[in-house]
Amino acid sequence: EDQVTQSPEALRLQEGESSSLNCSYTVSGLRGLFWYRQDPGKGPEFLFTLYSAGEEKEKERLKATLTKKESFLHITAPKPEDSATYLCAVWGGATNKLIFGTGTLLAVQP
Amino acid sequence: NAGVTQTPKFRVLKTGQSMTLLCAQDMNHEYMYWYRQDPGMGLRLIHYSVGEGTTAKGEVPDGYNVSRLKKQNFLLGLESAAPSQTSVYFCASSYGGSTNEQYFGPGTRLTVT
């Protein structure tokens, strides 16, 4: 069964304290792994797509990496405006649809 | 370029009432999707469309119907609302399928009493 698990459920950081969010997945034939950011009361906002193990992508303080079993979203020197829920999703080969994890709620305190 | 828009933003229904949620996109995307988001659960696909005039069932289609009469619009209907349909509904669109990112609307918060 195609599945996505994100950890931790919640993470509190001090401004400038770097950390990583984890997204582990089981899927038959990965076609793409997607990271989204969701602010309270808003729709998910697309961040990155990763297609194959070893691939990395960066955007400002965020860097996403991919292995055959998991993806990490590294946050370097975070700022309070990085506070949001970060969602991971994979395109499931068996189900042919996007499968979302439940997200990591990140709070960055000044 | 407004992206994906949804109307209404909020709605309260009584059990048994019906309503239609409207989604519009101006990116000329072929694919459109309806999701619901509930606390502690990931976004779940209700119905989707791979082009004008087509619709297909997703993971949780029961109690919902959809129509895609125009490429830019995707309607989600609830014929007889139930409290279990209280949720936040998101519409999304994408250029293609599996390898293409989906762009989401701002959501509709629906409460069924």
Side-chain angles (χ1 to χ4, degrees), chain B residues 70-89:
Chain B
K70 294 183 178 181
K71 184 177 182 178
Q72 63 268 32
N73 295 337
F74 195 29
L75 277 63
L76 178 70
L78 286 73
E79 290 187 348
S80 180
S84 60
Q85 294 178 304
T86 293
S87 187
V88 181
Y89 291 86

Side-chain angles (χ1 to χ4, degrees), chain A residues 31-32 34 36 38 41-46 49 51 87 91 96-102, chain B residues 33 35 37 40-43 45 48 59 90 97-107:
Chain A
R31 298 184 188 181
F34 303 83
Y36 287 85
Q38 186 173 23
K42 296 190 177 181
E45 175 188 347
F46 170 73
T49 309
Y51 296 104
L87 303 174
W91 192 273
N96 202 29
K97 65 178 177 69
L98 203 56
I99 301 166
F100 282 85
T102 53
Chain B
Y33 314 82
Y35 292 90
Q37 187 175 41
M41 305 186 75
L43 284 154
L45 184 65
Y48 65 100
E59 181 184 0
F90 290 101
S98 59
T99 60
N100 291 266
E101 61 270 20
Q102 297 180 13
Y103 293 89
F104 285 79

